[in-house]
Amino acid sequence: MGLFGGRTVTVPCTVEIEQTPESLHAHVILDAGFEIEPGDEVQVHDAPTSVPYGERLTVRRTATITRAGALERAWTKLIAHLELTELYEVSFSERRKL
């Protein structure tokens, strides 16, 4: 894989959207035999964006995956780590005085 990435792959996928009292979710399941890694971009073509309340929708679409290069992957991991460390500064203890 190159330093800057940019390799694209188009694969079939399944889009599932549910908005019921039991669940509210949207999932994309790729039919490809590889894992999405940090920095990769996935664009689903003609995907539905909503479903009426109380319904579940499952459709077949295609997705274009743009693979991140080594530099972009490393940058994404670094930024994610820094953003995660911001959560460490949050206190959940009870505060008596301000």
Side-chain angles (χ1 to χ4, degrees):
M1 182 176 311
L3 187 61
F4 298 104
R7 186 184 78 167
T8 61
V9 180
T10 301
V11 296
C13 65
T14 302
V15 177
E16 179 184 293
I17 301 175
E18 183 173 346
Q19 185 177 201
T20 63
E22 295 81 30
S23 181
L24 172 62
H25 69 265
H27 297 285
V28 174
I29 302 164
L30 301 175
D31 292 351
F34 56 84
E35 294 291 321
I36 299 299
E37 297 183 39
D40 292 348
E41 296 178 13
V42 178
Q43 180 181 5
V44 179
H45 304 283
D46 298 321
T49 56
S50 65
V51 53
Y53 184 76
E55 294 187 20
R56 177 180 181 183
L57 177 67
T58 303
V59 294
R60 300 282 298 155
R61 296 292 187 259
T62 58
T64 301
I65 297 111
T66 303
R67 299 300 242 167
L71 185 61
E72 187 177 8
R73 194 170 312 288
W75 177 254
T76 301
K77 287 180 181 180
L78 174 67
I79 294 302
H81 180 71
L82 294 174
E83 288 179 1
L84 179 64
T85 58
E86 287 181 18
L87 294 176
Y88 299 151
E89 297 176 13
V90 176
S91 173
F92 295 102
S93 62
E94 187 176 326
R95 199 173 209 185
R96 304 243 182 233
K97 297 179 184 178
L98 293 176

